């Protein structure tokens, strides 16, 4: 039987090297995906994931299962790292989609569908950060509202309203109503 | 209804976006860096504290400090003209040049979530990074300086001080 995430964190805190390696291989993908959607660039997502596990090395002993499950705890760290990166490169141009791994661009499978996913990815990156993280945590990472609220450091109702508004903005962008998010100073709204 | 179709479209697109975001394979160099950092942290981990002896040591230190602190005051109160035997706690040791400065709050730290727990980490910080941490670079032409960083539960630095 494989160890739970909580067991692994406890073992990491006790200095178990193998447990750290296992935790990294098991949860890196969750952290990477979250960071990718938040920052919009694979290289930044890799860096954030690396930074998160660097923090785990030093902070594992402070982890408390009673406060959060391991994945929300990791994503909470990733959120802060990603927000810092977003604020640091506020004036950079938006990333293009050329270097995004895994986006299906096979014409036989439906170019329109690929373009739609790509359009959504780009729209997501332009959302103001609070709305973006609500959509990522709830819709893409499929976390509960409760977990999303604890990660975002806000009330559960706030997550609901941000998610609702974020979806509205995304849908409007998908319909081509670009003015909807243009009204928000998205790149400066942290 | 138009809105329902939009919601469904969006939900499908979000699902496809989630599915299309597979991470690249683990970079062995990055993994090796992490494992090396883990080993380094394990080597520098403080020994397990024994509460009883820790408390006893603290109590002894406190008693010593009180005794040292009271000695000059007692001498003065009794009007003794002879110089006090103890002039106070020496704060600087000659030849010891790694006296830390005061901690300063890192710019932007005030906007971070409240610090619930954290670590004190001593590390070499490139001199070029000091202004961004709110510190003035030293006059000496060195590439890096030792600094103590207070890092919060989220891994973000809250305060920093120079060691030498």
């Amino acid at each position: 039987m494989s160890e739970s995430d909580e067991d692994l964190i406890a073992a990491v805190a006790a200095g178990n090297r193998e447990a750290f390696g296992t935790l990294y291989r098991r949860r890196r993908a969750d952290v990477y995906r979250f960071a990718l959607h938040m920052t919009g660039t694979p290289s930044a997502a890799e860096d954030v994931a690396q930074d998160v596990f660097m923090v785990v090395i030093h902070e594992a002993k402070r982890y408390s299962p009673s406060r959060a499950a391991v994945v929300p705890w990791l994503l909470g760290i990733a959120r802060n790292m990603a927000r810092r990166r977003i604020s640091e490169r506020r004036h950079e141009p938006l990333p293009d989609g050329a270097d995004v791994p895994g986006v299906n661009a096979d014409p036989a499978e439906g170019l329109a569908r690929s373009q739609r996913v790509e359009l959504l990815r780009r729209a997501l990156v332009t959302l103001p950060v609070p709305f973006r993280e609500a959509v990522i945590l709830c819709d893409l990472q499929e976390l509960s509202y409760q977990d999303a609220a604890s990660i975002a450091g806000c009330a559960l109702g706030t997550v609901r309203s941000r998610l609702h508004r974020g979806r509205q903005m995304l849908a409007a962008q998908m319909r081509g109503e670009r003015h909807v998010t243009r009204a928000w100073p998205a790149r400066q709204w942290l | 209804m138009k809105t329902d179709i939009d919601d469904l479209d969006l939900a499908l697109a979000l699902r496809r976006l989630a599915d299309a975001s597979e991470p690249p394979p683990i970079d062995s160099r990055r993994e090796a860096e992490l494992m090396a950092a883990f080993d380094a942290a394990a080597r520098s981990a403080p020994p397990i504290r024994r509460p009883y002896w820790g408390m006893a040591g603290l109590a002894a230190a406190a008693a010593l400090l009180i005794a040292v602190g009271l000695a000059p005051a007692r001498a003065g109160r009794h009007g003794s003209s002879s110089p006090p035997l103890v002039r106070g706690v020496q704060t600087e040791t000659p030849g010891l040049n790694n006296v830390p400065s005061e901690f300063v709050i890192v710019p932007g730290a005030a906007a971070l979530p409240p610090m619930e727990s954290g670590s004190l980490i001593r590390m070499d910080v490139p001199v070029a990074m000091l202004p961004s941490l709110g510190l003035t670079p030293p006059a000496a032409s060195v590439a890096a300086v030792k600094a103590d960083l207070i890092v919060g539960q989220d891994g973000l630095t809250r305060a920093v001080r120079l060691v030498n």
Side-chain angles (χ1 to χ4, degrees), chain B residues 126-155:
Chain B
V127 168
M129 273 188 65
L130 294 180
S132 68
L133 294 170
L135 296 172
T136 308
S141 58
V142 291
V145 292
K146 280 212 183 307
D148 289 337
L149 276 67
I150 296 179
V151 180
Q153 71 282 359
D154 45 17

Side-chain angles (χ1 to χ4, degrees), chain B residues 68 86-94:
Chain B
V68 168
V86 180
R87 292 176 187 275
V89 179
Q90 197 168 11
T91 54
E92 291 186 16
T93 308

Side-chain angles (χ1 to χ4, degrees), chain A residues 103-116:
Chain A
V103 173
N104 182 7
D106 182 0
E109 287 294 310
L111 185 60
R113 197 173 68 182
S114 301
Q115 286 173 336
R116 203 163 180 77

Side-chain angles (χ1 to χ4, degrees), chain B residues 11-143:
Chain B
L12 280 173
L14 283 167
R15 195 64 265 138
R16 286 184 188 128
L17 177 60
D19 294 341
S21 307
E22 277 306 304
I26 290 176
D27 181 343
S28 57
R29 182 184 57 83
R30 283 182 183 271
E31 187 176 13
E33 277 177 13
L34 277 175
M35 299 315 289
F38 185 89
D39 293 340
R43 277 197 301 273
S44 63
I48 297 169
R49 286 185 294 175
R50 294 186 175 130
Y52 175 79
W53 289 109
M55 291 303 291
L58 274 177
L64 183 65
L65 275 174
I66 291 168
V68 168
L70 287 179
R74 279 172 177 270
R77 194 162 54 221
H78 293 295
S80 168
S81 59
S82 59
L85 292 174
V86 180
R87 292 176 187 275
V89 179
Q90 197 168 11
T91 54
E92 291 186 16
T93 308
L96 189 68
N97 65 351
N98 63 341
V99 180
S101 61
E102 292 295 313
F103 274 105
V104 296
I105 304 293
V106 171
L112 296 174
M115 187 161 151
E116 296 166 357
S117 61
S119 304
L120 180 64
I121 301 171
R122 178 164 292 186
M123 60 184 294
D124 291 323
V125 176
V127 168
M129 273 188 65
L130 294 180
S132 68
L133 294 170
L135 296 172
T136 308
S141 58
V142 291

Side-chain angles (χ1 to χ4, degrees), chain A residues 122-139:
Chain A
R122 292 175 67 83
L124 189 61
V125 177
T126 65
L127 283 190
V129 170
F131 302 102
R132 192 190 316 171
E133 63 189 18
V135 172
I136 294 170
L137 292 171
C138 297
D139 283 345

